[in-house]
Amino acid sequence: KEALLKEVHHRVKNNLQIISSLLNLQSNAIEDESISGLFRESQSRVRLMAMVHEKLYRSEDFGTIELADYIRGLSHHLLRSYSISQSDIRLNIHIDSILLGIGSAVSCALIINELITNSLKYAFPKSASGQIQQGEISITAKLTDLNHFSVIYQDSGIGLPTDLDIENATTLGLQLVGSLTEQLCGQLTIASYQPTEFRFSNLLLSS
């Protein structure tokens, strides 16, 4: 059984990496930068799902993922993909020892992926010289009981539009954040618009 589970995760990871590579090839062939960017964002989402199966392949029980290690890897990968150094955007990650089931791990990772991507694209504008505004992204996660955890995401950038309605968001990224929070049976509150602070409460450890 263990050998079979390991092989399944390995094959799923490889298939997802193939899809990611195909999306990358397609994006390189597109001249319209805005459309090419959409392909790259989709590629990033597929890649993080491949990372889940890579973690499960290397874990001892093949069923849970250590959230802190996974989010650190995802965060640093996103900084590299946007060619941003940690001296420009400082990452502060404070996460309890939280083990997530595969469904919750994928949903939580997609939420964090969308929020970090949004911050890197819009929260820290570049100067006239092309230098990105220095800033900070903080992610905190804590166990709240035997079945739930909470996440607080913050960035020190220029902030969100004060009239933003997360339930009627027009961008795919924020739509995903809202729907994935519901999938985890949690509640989302925008605690601050300037600077940005998203609070997620009562998220399921396993879904």
Side-chain angles (χ1 to χ4, degrees):
K1 182 180 177 181
E2 288 183 359
L4 177 60
L5 284 170
K6 191 169 185 177
E7 182 66 15
V8 167
H9 288 306
H10 183 62
R11 286 174 182 258
V12 171
K13 179 207 71 171
N14 287 346
N15 288 337
L16 287 169
Q17 286 180 333
I18 290 171
I19 295 171
S20 176
S21 297
L22 290 172
L23 288 170
N24 183 53
L25 289 171
Q26 188 68 68
S27 68
N28 291 336
I30 297 173
E31 295 183 0
D32 188 311
E33 182 58 34
S34 61
I35 297 176
S36 178
L38 294 176
F39 271 82
R40 286 195 297 271
E41 289 177 11
S42 294
Q43 179 193 8
S44 179
R45 294 176 186 123
V46 172
R47 187 184 292 116
L48 73 85
M49 286 187 277
M51 288 172 61
V52 169
H53 289 278
E54 173 70 14
K55 293 288 184 185
L56 289 169
Y57 171 72
R58 298 182 182 280
S59 71
E60 294 182 357
D61 63 8
F62 308 114
T64 59
I65 290 178
E66 175 66 50
L67 181 62
D69 179 54
Y70 182 43
I71 293 302
R72 287 191 183 94
L74 170 62
S75 303
H76 288 104
H77 166 75
L78 285 170
L79 286 184
R80 289 194 300 272
S81 67
Y82 280 88
S83 302
I84 297 173
S85 72
Q86 292 186 58
S87 60
D88 293 324
I89 304 297
R90 187 168 64 253
L91 291 172
N92 290 322
I93 299 175
H94 305 284
I95 298 177
D96 287 351
S97 179
I98 300 174
L99 294 176
L100 296 184
I102 182 171
S104 292
V106 170
S107 296
C108 185
L110 282 167
I111 289 171
I112 298 299
N113 177 79
E114 298 307 324
L115 293 177
I116 294 178
T117 299
N118 195 63
S119 293
L120 296 180
K121 288 174 64 177
Y122 305 115
F124 307 105
K126 293 182 179 180
S127 65
S129 62
Q131 182 69 34
I132 192 170
Q133 171 190 320
Q134 290 187 328
E136 184 175 300
I137 291 174
S138 298
I139 304 170
T140 304
K142 295 181 178 181
L143 283 171
T144 52
D145 59 43
L146 292 176
N147 299 309
H148 300 88
F149 69 106
S150 64
V151 175
I152 298 175
Y153 178 90
Q154 301 166 310
D155 76 43
S156 62
I158 61 175
L160 298 166
T162 54
D163 59 351
L164 175 65
D165 181 1
I166 194 70
E167 294 184 358
N168 297 297
T170 57
T171 62
L172 176 60
L174 289 178
Q175 288 174 0
L176 279 173
V177 169
S179 62
L180 290 167
T181 303
E182 291 180 6
Q183 187 173 311
L184 290 171
C185 299
Q187 290 83 46
L188 167 59
T189 304
I190 301 178
S192 175
Y193 288 83
Q194 295 178 338
T196 299
E197 181 177 322
F198 288 85
R199 290 179 176 264
F200 302 86
S201 57
N202 295 319
L203 301 171
L204 286 174
L205 292 174
S206 182
S207 63

